[in-house]
C-alpha cells in the first residue's frame, strides 16, 4: 500500500485512563464516579439503571469492587453495575479475556481494579520473570519471555472499542538526604505506581490520588486536567466524554 500524506485530524476516541493511589485513596470509587459521568454524558435521556448497566468492574480485590452498590456519595447513588471476578494466578491473559468478555456483552466502560496483581501478585509478571530466571540463569533474557504477555494486555486494552479505566496501587517513595551539617532528613519524592516502569505512557490520561482523596492530573492528553488538583466527581467523566465525542467520526 503506497504512503499517503494527509491533513491531521482528531477523531472521536475511547478513553484510556489510569488512576493510581495508595490503598484507601479512592481508586475504585473514583473510577465508578467517572464511569457514571461518561455514561451520563452519552445517554442524557436514559435512566441511571441503564447507565450503570453499561459499566463493569474487572475485580481482583476479593469482591471489594462490589461494596459500593447502593451507596450514595455526594448525591450520586451507585447503581448495579457488572462484575467480572479474577482470581490468582493473575496472569495477563486473564485480563485480556475479561476485557473481551465485557466488550462482547455490550459493556461500554470497563474498570480494571486493579492492574497491580498482574505485575506483582501471585502469577504476575514479576513472578513469571523470576521463574524464567531460575530456569535459565539469566534475568535479562527472562524478560524476553515475559514482555510479550504484557504487550498483549496493553494491545487489547488500547484496541478494544470500550472506555478503559485501569487502577494501580501506589506507594509513597522517600529519600534520605544529608545537609551541609551532616544531619539526615527524610524527603518525600511522590507516589510510585506498583506497575511496570512506563505504564503511564500506555494511557491517554493518568490521575494520581493522594491519601487525602485529592486527585492530580499528572498526564492528560485532553488538557482538561493536566497538572491540576481536583476532586473526582461524575463531572470529570462528563467533561472527558464531551472531549472524546468532539472529534471526527471514527473510521470503520
Amino acid at each position: 500500500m503506497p504512503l499517503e500524506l494527509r491533513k491531521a485530524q482528531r477523531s472521536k476516541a475511547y478513553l484510556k485512563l489510569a488512576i493510581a493511589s495508595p490503598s484507601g485513596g479512592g481508586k475504585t470509587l473514583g473510577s465508578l464516579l467517572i464511569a457514571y459521568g461518561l455514561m451520563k454524558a452519552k445517554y442524557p435521556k436514559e435512566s441511571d439503571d441503564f447507565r450503570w448497566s453499561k459499566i463493569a468492574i474487572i475485580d481482583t480485590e476479593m469482591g471489594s469492587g462490589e461494596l459500593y452498590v447502593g451507596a450514595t456519595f455526594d448525591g450520586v447513588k451507585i447503581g448495579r453495575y457488572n462484575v467480572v471476578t479474577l482470581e490468582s494466578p493473575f496472569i495477563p491473559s486473564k485480563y485480556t479475556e475479561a476485557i473481551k468478555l465485557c466488550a462482547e456483552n455490550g459493556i461500554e466502560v470497563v474498570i480494571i481494579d486493579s492492574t497491580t496483581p498482574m505485575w506483582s501478585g501471585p502469577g504476575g509478571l514479576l513472578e513469571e520473570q523470576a521463574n524464567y530466571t531460575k530456569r535459565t540463569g539469566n534475568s535479562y533474557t527472562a524478560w524476553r519471555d515475559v514482555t510479550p504477555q504484557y504487550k498483549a494486555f496493553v494491545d487489547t486494552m488500547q484496541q478494544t472499542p470500550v472506555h478503559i479505566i485501569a487502577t494501580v496501587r501506589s506507594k509513597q517513595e522517600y529519600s534520605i538526604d544529608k545537609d551541609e551539617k551532616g544531619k539526615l532528613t527524610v524527603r518525600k519524592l511522590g507516589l510510585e505506581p506498583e506497575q511496570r516502569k512506563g505504564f503511564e505512557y500506555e494511557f491517554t490520561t493518568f490521575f494520581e490520588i493522594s491519601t487525602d482523596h485529592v486527585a492530580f492530573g499528572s498526564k492528560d492528553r485532553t488538557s482538561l486536567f493536566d497538572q491540576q488538583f481536583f476532586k473526582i466527581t461524575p463531572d470529570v467523566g462528563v467533561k472527558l466524554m464531551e472531549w472524546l465525542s468532539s472529534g471526527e467520526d471514527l473510521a470503520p
Side-chain angles (χ1 to χ4, degrees):
M1 183 176 179
L3 297 177
E4 177 188 4
L5 180 66
R6 60 179 179 82
K7 296 291 185 182
Q9 67 178 30
R10 183 169 69 81
S11 300
K12 294 179 180 179
Y14 291 98
L15 178 66
K16 310 299 177 183
L17 165 67
I19 299 178
S21 84
S23 179
K27 299 183 293 295
T28 307
L29 176 58
S31 298
L32 286 167
L33 294 177
I34 292 173
Y36 171 74
L38 290 168
M39 293 297 92
K40 183 179 180 181
K42 182 173 181 180
Y43 299 110
K45 296 181 180 180
E46 298 288 349
S47 67
D48 276 354
D49 286 343
F50 177 84
R51 294 164 184 160
W52 285 109
S53 74
K54 292 295 184 180
I55 299 168
I57 286 184
I58 298 174
D59 179 29
T60 68
E61 305 293 328
M62 300 178 65
S64 65
E66 300 179 62
L67 299 177
Y68 295 96
V69 175
T72 300
F73 297 91
D74 292 335
V76 179
K77 185 176 181 179
I78 308 296
R80 297 193 65 183
Y81 45 88
N82 303 276
V83 178
V84 180
T85 301
L86 297 190
E87 297 178 346
S88 173
F90 296 105
I91 56 178
S93 60
K94 285 187 176 180
Y95 285 82
T96 60
E97 290 172 10
I99 293 171
K100 292 176 181 177
L101 175 66
C102 290
E104 290 166 359
N105 285 274
I107 299 300
E108 297 191 31
V109 186
V110 178
I111 299 169
I112 308 174
D113 190 38
S114 115
T115 63
T116 294
M118 182 182 62
W119 176 245
S120 57
L125 293 168
L126 286 180
E127 186 174 289
E128 277 285 282
Q129 191 267 351
N131 289 336
Y132 278 113
T133 299
K134 290 177 183 177
R135 185 166 63 87
T136 64
N138 190 321
S139 62
Y140 180 78
T141 59
W143 285 112
R144 183 177 58 196
D145 298 298
V146 174
T147 296
Q149 300 178 49
Y150 172 78
K151 183 146 190 334
F153 160 74
V154 171
D155 289 345
T156 300
M157 184 180 63
Q158 291 179 339
Q159 296 171 14
T160 303
V162 295
H163 302 289
I164 297 283
I165 303 175
T167 73
V168 54
R169 290 196 296 267
S170 58
K171 55 187 177 181
Q172 184 71 57
E173 290 291 301
Y174 297 90
S175 172
I176 300 178
D177 302 324
K178 184 182 293 186
D179 61 20
E180 63 276 5
K181 296 182 180 179
K183 182 179 179 180
L184 296 178
T185 58
V186 178
R187 180 167 57 94
K188 286 186 178 182
L189 297 178
L191 298 175
E192 180 69 19
E194 293 185 48
Q195 250 297 348
R196 182 167 179 151
K197 190 173 180 63
F199 182 70
E200 63 271 21
Y201 299 123
E202 313 294 354
F203 297 86
T204 310
T205 303
F206 195 92
F207 292 161
E208 298 175 2
I209 306 178
S210 63
T211 53
D212 55 359
H213 312 302
V214 176
F216 176 71
S218 60
K219 169 199 166 183
D220 185 14
R221 289 174 181 156
T222 73
S223 299
L224 295 171
F225 303 97
D226 194 42
Q227 305 304 304
Q228 296 183 33
F229 292 95
F230 57 96
K231 180 181 179 181
I232 291 182
T233 68
D235 190 52
V236 174
V238 170
K239 290 179 179 178
L240 287 169
M241 180 58 84
E242 290 173 349
W243 186 91
L244 295 163
S245 304
S246 64
E248 300 290 332
D249 287 333
L250 291 168

